[in-house]
Amino acid sequence: MEKDYIKSQGLIGVTARVRRLNDRLMSTGRNVYKALNLDIEPNWHLILLLLEQNKKMAVTEISSTLKFSHPAVIKILKKMQEKDFLIGEKDPKDQRKQLFSLSEKAISLLPEYKEKWKLIEEIQKEYFVSEFLKALEKLESKLEETPIEEKVNEFINKK
Amino acid sequence: MEKDYIKSQGLIGVTARVRRLNDRLMSTGRNVYKALNLDIEPNWHLILLLLEQNKKMAVTEISSTLKFSHPAVIKILKKMQEKDFLIGEKDPKDQRKQLFSLSEKAISLLPEYKEKWKLIEEIQKEYFVSEFLKALEKLESKLEETPIEEKVNEFINKK
DNA sequence: TACATTTGCGTAACTAGTTACATAAAAACA
DNA sequence: TGTTTTTATGTAACTAGTTACGCAAATGTA
């Protein structure tokens, strides 16, 4: 007993389930960071690793490579800067751009962080079996190719 | 070129991808509803279908069967009530409870809505191949059984 | 070179969920 | 029966994203 109603309903609740999954992952992310004494917030690792490779990046470069909206990126960068993980400077060649790079603090903490992220990834692997990742990837590509809206419009016009 | 950086990074961005997927599904949901002239908001269908079966339900009954937090449910119910889809009444046997049921309007619109939802589900089926749903279900169950936090704690204690 | 367009950034307001807290009614219990 | 605990609801504040809009700098063009 105590079945999951939404699971039993097929596709009618799939969006809600995906949200539920995200909420759960975010929440465990916070808990795990706390347990491991990692003083960072969600998605910071993406930016730290990106800047480790690319050294200096502007807001829109980051937002387009992560596929986040630029206001989302700005919010994250601001917080990271407040906590001294990042340094921001005006691009001398283009006064509109702000270039972000890792601070000394970030660089010195990174090795320890990377070890902990590796551990987390190891544990995640037990949950995200390859079938899920493959199916997710397939779905993402399909949605990219032909948005659901298009198919619906096709149907409407046919009618 | 123009590859998806996050996809290429394995598990480190999986939470962000799940969120991205949800954002996309929500957005196409709104678009599709508009295109089909369905004047309802996300998740209303879950409640309409639930109340069609169960006639009268209290807030916490709904929230526990949908596995939404009760404040989330209250917000949805309020909006639905404002748009005359629902009727709310005090439970005479328990003055704390408010029982919600479908309005005449909702009942008369439901057949048309259900047809449109069926169409949407038909189109969704082309995207959410069974592998995705199975993998999602497996992941949900696994997270339910042993939360990731537990595994992390195990590791910490072992060390 | 002057003007129009595009690009990059920033802020504001919105969205769909959450947790935390408050209160009143009901239920359990001494 | 009087008191404590639990349950149901409601509200407030937070979260992590989005779109919409405005402005200034850079770029393209007549």
Side-chain angles (χ1 to χ4, degrees), chain B residues 48 51-52 55 85-87 100-104 106-107 110:
Chain B
L48 290 171
L51 287 178
E52 189 195 17
K55 306 301 176 197
F85 281 90
L86 298 184
I87 294 165
F100 287 88
S101 52
L102 298 181
S103 68
E104 284 301 320
I107 292 169
L110 210 47

Side-chain angles (χ1 to χ4, degrees), chain A residues 4-7 9-22 24-28 31-32 35-36 43 45-46 49-50 53 65-68 119 121 123-129 131-133 135-144 146-149 151-153 155-156, chain B residues 4-7 9-22 24-28 31-32 35-36 43 45-46 49-50 53 65-68 119 121 123-129 131-133 135-144 146-149 151-153 155-156:
Chain A
D4 191 328
Y5 170 79
I6 285 197
K7 274 195 200 175
Q9 292 297 303
L11 284 168
I12 71 162
V14 84
T15 304
R17 284 166 73 185
V18 169
R19 172 66 190 240
R20 205 154 82 192
L21 175 59
N22 176 257
R24 173 144 231 161
L25 292 175
M26 295 287 297
S27 158
T28 85
N31 294 339
V32 167
L36 290 175
N43 297 321
H45 67 296
L46 295 174
L49 290 171
L50 193 58
Q53 288 199 331
T65 98
L66 296 183
K67 299 213 178 170
F68 281 43
L119 162 66
E121 213 178 338
I123 290 172
Q124 279 183 316
K125 262 187 202 149
E126 297 177 30
Y127 291 81
F128 291 89
V129 287
E131 302 105 66
F132 181 85
L133 284 182
L136 176 59
E137 168 122 27
K138 222 178 189 173
L139 175 55
E140 289 169 330
S141 305
K142 226 166 181 172
L143 288 169
E144 202 65 45
T146 36
I148 293 182
E149 287 93 329
K151 295 250 180 184
V152 172
N153 285 332
F155 177 90
I156 292 173
Chain B
D4 192 329
Y5 170 79
I6 286 198
K7 275 195 199 175
Q9 293 296 303
L11 284 168
I12 71 163
V14 83
T15 305
R17 283 165 75 184
V18 169
R19 172 66 191 243
R20 204 153 84 190
L21 176 59
N22 176 258
R24 172 143 231 162
L25 292 175
M26 295 287 296
S27 157
T28 85
N31 294 337
V32 167
L36 291 174
N43 296 321
H45 67 296
L46 294 174
L49 290 170
L50 193 59
Q53 288 196 332
T65 98
L66 296 183
K67 300 209 176 170
F68 281 42
L119 162 66
E121 213 177 339
I123 291 171
Q124 279 183 317
K125 262 186 202 151
E126 299 178 30
Y127 291 80
F128 290 89
V129 288
E131 302 104 67
F132 181 85
L133 285 182
L136 176 60
E137 168 122 26
K138 222 178 189 172
L139 176 55
E140 289 169 332
S141 306
K142 226 166 181 171
L143 288 169
E144 202 65 44
T146 36
I148 292 182
E149 287 92 329
K151 295 249 179 186
V152 172
N153 287 333
F155 177 88
I156 292 173

Side-chain angles (χ1 to χ4, degrees), chain A residues 94-138:
Chain A
D94 187 337
Q95 288 297 303
R96 292 168 307 178
K97 288 189 187 172
Q98 240 210 315
L99 297 176
F100 287 88
S101 53
L102 298 182
S103 68
E104 284 300 321
K105 175 182 168 185
I107 292 170
S108 69
L109 287 172
L110 211 47
E112 181 204 333
Y113 283 14
K114 283 168 91 170
E115 239 174 79
K116 290 181 176 173
W117 293 331
K118 211 192 279 177
L119 162 66
I120 294 171
E121 213 178 338
E122 220 52 55
I123 290 172
Q124 279 183 316
K125 262 187 202 149
E126 297 177 30
Y127 291 81
F128 291 89
V129 287
S130 64
E131 302 105 66
F132 181 85
L133 284 182
K134 272 185 200 149
L136 176 59
E137 168 122 27
K138 222 178 189 173

Side-chain angles (χ1 to χ4, degrees), chain B residues 82-96:
Chain B
E82 273 163 28
K83 291 258 185 166
D84 294 320
F85 281 90
L86 298 184
I87 294 165
E89 40 166 344
K90 275 249 147 70
D91 184 341
K93 292 184 207 128
D94 186 337
Q95 289 296 304
R96 293 168 305 177

